[in-house]
């Protein structure tokens, strides 16, 4: 294994590769450090980026697993990169969609969870616990099923019902908490500590999650013909996805594959935007969101109460990359959902449509330049939250089975023909 140890990103103390969540000295987050020089010396990475295969296990030298053969995998990753085709308004910008909706449970969360659950298996832990806004819960439930773990899911009572049923279908024990995501986070943390369960919550808490997220960068690098995109636009709750993708490109640079780096753009809903608020004030650290939370982007509704340091880590990634943080209106998010589905054939959940809303803003304001390559992260499938479209789509007419009825209604409609 090329992973060497965990290192605190605040005080640089190092710790063995164990199930560990925060630095005992300073409560900083931990990250996995690899022996990159040995990876180069052993020629262990040269062949890794030639093609994209249908599981992140193809990148095993860069994953923190003792025994990659035993990795719990359902074929996560290896997702398509699709050029934007029919949505107009971005003249001479190369826009690509990274379609994470085709992951086994329908969101990118399968990548971090595959790594975190496989790590728990290596440490012979039998029970998984997770706090989630929904998608990570469904991933944890599925990978626990596959690996034969018990799985406790702690989610806010406002989580879309489809995600609740999905987690239950995989056999998880699901509780809905009368509170926000942050209340769930605290509960999962307490239960994991007291009973020795593996906490795979996908904030910066479990250091192994980021190692799954970073595989997106390897795929993008290969899919773009060994180029690094100028911009990557990412929907953000706490933001480990942003930092994970950035870490992947830092590794590619360190390993000598490129000297380019992307600019990372974080998108939040205006109705829960702690990271964007600090970015706009020019601050270096993030405060928890104290206002009400009521957004269609439920997967991003993380007020960071009790762990606002996570927001600061994300903000640091954004600033280091010369990127930006943008908050978008819920109405623009729903319009982006409709636009991606009806123009591109891609039905995503509201949170996953926020990058398109943000790109409209970025290009209108002149931040994205002619010739730039932009990747929009389509993080989760629309079927996971189709209730968000309720009231926006008409109820289809019920008719007698007669051609003239059908055609007269079709001709009276506004639908493309
Ligand atoms: C979890 C999630 C995000 C946000 O990712 P974080 O790295 O947790 O901030 C974005 N989109 C969807 C669909 C998600 O499920
Ligand atoms: Zn520390």
């Amino acid at each position: 294994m090329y992973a060497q140890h965990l290192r605190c990103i605040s005080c640089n103390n190092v710790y063995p590769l164990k199930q560990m969540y925060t630095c005992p000295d300073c409560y900083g987050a931990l990250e996995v450090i690899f022996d990159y020089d040995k990876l180069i010396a052993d020629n262990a990475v040269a062949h890794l980026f030639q093609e994209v295969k249908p599981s992140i296990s193809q990148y095993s030298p860069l994953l923190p697993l003792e025994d990659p053969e035993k990795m719990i995998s359902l074929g996560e990753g290896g997702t398509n990169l699709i050029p934007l085709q029919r949505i107009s308004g971005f003249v001479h910008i190369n826009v690509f969609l990274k379609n994470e909706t085709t992951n086994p449970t329908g969101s990118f969360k399968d990548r971090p969870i595959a790594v975190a659950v496989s790590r728990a298996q290596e440490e012979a832990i039998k029970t998984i616990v997770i706090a989630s806004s929904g998608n990570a819960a469904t991933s944890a439930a599925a990978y626990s099923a596959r690996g034969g773990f018990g799985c406790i899911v702690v989610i806010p009572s406002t989580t879309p019902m489809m995600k609740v049923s999905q987690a239950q279908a995989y056999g998880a024990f699901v509780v809905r908490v009368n509170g926000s995501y942050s209340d769930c986070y605290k509960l999962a943390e307490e239960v994991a500590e007291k009973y020795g369960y593996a906490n795979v919550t996908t904030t910066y808490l479990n250091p192994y999650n980021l190692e799954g997220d970073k595989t997106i960068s390897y795929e993008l690098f290969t899919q773009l013909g060994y180029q690094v995109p100028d911009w990557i636009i990412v929907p953000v709750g706490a933001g480990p996805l942003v930092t994970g993708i950035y870490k992947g490109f830092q590794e590619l640079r360190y390993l000598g594959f490129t000297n380019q780096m992307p600019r990372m753009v974080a998108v939040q809903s205006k109705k829960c935007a702690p990271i964007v608020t600090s970015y706009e004030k020019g601050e270096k650290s993030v405060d928890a969101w104290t206002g009400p939370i009521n957004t269609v982007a439920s997967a991003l509704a993380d007020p960071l109460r009790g762990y606002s340091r996570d927001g600061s880590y994300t903000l640091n990634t954004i600033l280091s990359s010369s990127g930006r943080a943008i908050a978008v209106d819920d109405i623009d998010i729903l319009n982006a959902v409709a636009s991606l589905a009806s123009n591109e054939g891609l039905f995503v959940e509201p949170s996953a449509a926020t990058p398109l809303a943000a790109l409209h803003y970025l290009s209108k304001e002149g931040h994205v330049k002619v010739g730039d390559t932009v990747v929009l992260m389509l993080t989760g499938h629309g079927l996971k939250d189709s209730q968000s479209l309720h009231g926006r789509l008409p109820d289809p007419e019920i008719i007698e089975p007669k051609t003239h009825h059908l055609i007269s209604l079709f001709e009276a409609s506004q639908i493309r023909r």
Side-chain angles (χ1 to χ4, degrees), residues 101-327:
T101 71
T102 59
N103 275 296
T105 76
S107 87
F108 82 93
K109 293 287 196 325
D110 292 339
R111 297 175 186 261
I113 292 295
V115 178
V117 172
S118 297
R119 267 308 305 189
Q121 174 177 256
E122 295 194 342
E123 295 185 42
I125 298 172
K126 292 276 182 284
T127 305
I128 302 291
V129 59
I130 186 162
S132 167
S133 55
N135 285 330
T138 66
S139 296
Y143 284 78
S144 293
R146 183 83 184 169
F149 296 86
C151 182
I152 301 172
V153 159
V154 187
I155 48 181
S157 57
T158 49
T159 304
M161 271 321 283
M162 190 58 226
K163 297 182 184 179
V164 179
S165 318
Q166 194 186 356
Q168 287 180 304
Y170 293 125
F173 175 71
V174 179
V175 285
R176 295 191 293 155
V177 170
N178 191 6
S180 76
Y181 176 83
S182 295
D183 299 307
C184 301
Y185 178 100
K186 197 152 172 285
L187 182 57
E189 204 177 17
E190 282 167 10
V191 167
E193 185 171 319
K194 190 146 183 220
Y195 296 95
Y197 301 156
N199 187 350
V200 300
T201 299
T202 58
T203 52
Y204 290 86
L205 200 57
N206 185 312
Y208 303 106
N209 282 316
L210 224 70
E211 302 303 305
D213 291 326
K214 76 182 184 184
T215 58
I216 290 167
S217 333
Y218 308 154
E219 292 177 18
L220 289 175
F221 186 65
T222 302
Q223 289 169 322
L224 290 169
Y226 307 113
Q227 299 294 314
V228 174
D230 298 289
W231 302 87
I232 303 177
I233 310 185
V234 186
V236 160
L241 179 58
V242 171
T243 301
I245 294 173
Y246 199 63
K247 179 176 184 180
F249 283 108
Q250 283 174 315
E251 290 182 332
L252 287 170
R253 185 172 60 179
Y254 194 85
L255 292 166
F257 287 94
T258 180
N259 43 37
Q260 301 301 119
M261 289 297 287
R263 298 169 81 169
M264 305 301 298
V265 179
V267 197
Q268 302 195 290
S269 160
K270 281 186 182 162
K271 291 179 173 166
C272 184
I275 296 169
V276 178
T277 302
S278 298
Y279 172 83
E280 286 176 348
K281 287 191 197 150
E283 292 168 355
K284 291 268 179 294
S285 70
V286 170
D287 295 322
W289 182 258
T290 50
I293 306 163
N294 181 19
T295 170
V296 289
S298 61
L300 312 181
D302 186 345
L304 304 173
R305 281 175 207 144
Y307 48 95
S308 58
R309 57 147 219 200
D310 281 23
S312 306
Y313 295 146
T314 300
L315 181 58
N316 181 52
T317 300
I318 294 159
L319 296 175
S320 311
S321 78
S322 307
R324 308 189 69 84
I326 297 169

Side-chain angles (χ1 to χ4, degrees), residues 8 10-13 15 23 25-28:
C8 172
S10 299
C11 76
N12 286 328
N13 273 359
Y15 303 98
C23 173
D25 272 7
C26 78
Y27 300 103

Side-chain angles (χ1 to χ4, degrees), residues 382-393:
L383 291 176
K384 282 174 157 279
D385 189 10
S386 53
Q387 79 194 47
S388 64
L389 298 182
H390 223 85
R392 287 184 49 96
L393 301 172

